[in-house]
Amino acid sequence: GPPGAGKGTQAQRLQDEMGLKQLSTGDMLRAEVKSGSELGRRAAGIMERGELVPDELIIALIEARISQPDCRHGFILDGFPRTTAQAEALDRMLSSRGLKLDHVIEMTVDEAALTARITGRFSCAKCGAGYHDTFKPPAKPGVCDACGGTEFTRRKDDNAETVTARLRAYHEQTAPLLPYYRARGVLKKVDGMAAMDAVYSQIRETLAANRT
């Protein structure tokens, strides 16, 4: 799904309630760099030069991560793959380990509504509680419901121009993954514009369908 569809939120809930480990490639990269591992040192040098971390390094990172005990009950890939080439490399790596992806879940969205959802977000500068101009304003205007703070912040990239650019990149680079996984019979769609609990129920039903 495109940026802002709620992928990370749903992945976190699946991790908490089903024990499926959420694997964010960004988080994994930062953890490896911090650990000082060989992979981390290689990644750090690349990132310090402002270059993109190559696919083969990301795949090696994922392979090392899914070997850890907390992934033994399953895992969710969040933020990878983003291109068909990455999907093919991932398939080769998993196949070499006797594994495969059970499901690929597409969160479908209305892009105009998604843009409104993202650009209206803001949070309390003191405690981080999240709000929205339209869907979730503070009960008392200008005052945080959680801590009473009166200062709020917005992410710099939560603006219409940036969201449009991110959606364009999604359609050009990541959307081609849909026919790739559809051809393999693992792609399922859920309505990403539904309420969060309803989206979660759809995903749970999909995961339960072929669970052994």
Side-chain angles (χ1 to χ4, degrees):
K7 301 183 294 295
T9 298
Q10 296 296 336
Q12 182 64 55
R13 188 166 174 182
L14 289 166
Q15 174 176 270
D16 294 342
E17 298 184 15
M18 295 185 67
L20 298 172
K21 188 65 180 178
Q22 178 188 10
L23 302 182
S24 163
T25 50
D27 290 344
M28 284 191 291
L29 274 171
R30 286 186 286 273
E32 286 295 324
V33 170
K34 186 176 181 180
S35 74
S37 69
E38 181 183 351
L39 279 174
R41 289 194 297 272
R42 289 171 58 195
I46 292 167
M47 291 187 290
E48 285 168 5
R49 295 192 296 272
E51 301 171 1
L52 291 176
V53 178
D55 293 349
E56 58 267 25
L57 187 56
I58 297 293
I59 291 292
L61 189 66
I62 293 172
E63 184 170 21
R65 185 65 184 83
I66 64 177
S67 300
Q68 296 179 20
D70 61 353
C71 290
R72 65 183 179 275
H73 298 304
F75 55 88
I76 305 163
L77 293 173
D78 178 10
F80 190 91
R82 292 183 183 272
T83 66
T84 303
Q86 290 177 349
E88 292 170 342
L90 177 65
D91 280 347
R92 289 192 296 270
M93 183 274 286
L94 292 174
S95 179
S96 73
R97 298 176 59 86
L99 300 172
K100 63 179 180 64
L101 293 180
D102 295 312
H103 301 283
V104 175
I105 296 173
E106 177 191 4
M107 298 179 66
T108 61
V109 297
D110 176 286
E111 293 191 2
L114 181 68
T115 300
R117 179 195 285 180
I118 294 173
T119 56
R121 297 187 300 198
F122 63 99
S123 61
C124 175
K126 184 177 180 181
C127 73
Y131 297 96
H132 192 278
D133 292 328
T134 303
F135 309 122
K136 190 186 175 184
K140 182 178 180 180
V143 180
C144 176
D145 298 342
C147 73
T150 56
E151 294 186 14
F152 297 87
T153 61
R154 295 179 188 267
R155 284 175 44 172
K156 291 181 180 180
D157 57 351
D158 280 355
N159 60 77
E161 183 177 338
T162 300
V163 172
T164 298
R166 292 169 70 195
L167 288 171
R168 187 184 308 116
Y170 168 77
H171 285 296
E172 291 174 354
Q173 300 173 18
T174 305
L177 287 174
L178 301 178
Y180 176 86
Y181 284 123
R182 189 178 297 116
R184 282 154 180 75
V186 295
L187 182 68
K188 302 291 183 182
K189 292 185 178 184
V190 301
D191 177 11
M193 300 307 296
M196 283 193 293
D197 285 350
V199 175
Y200 184 69
S201 294
Q202 293 176 66
I203 295 172
R204 280 294 306 265
E205 289 173 10
T206 295
L207 296 182
N210 298 327
R211 204 170 176 89
T212 56

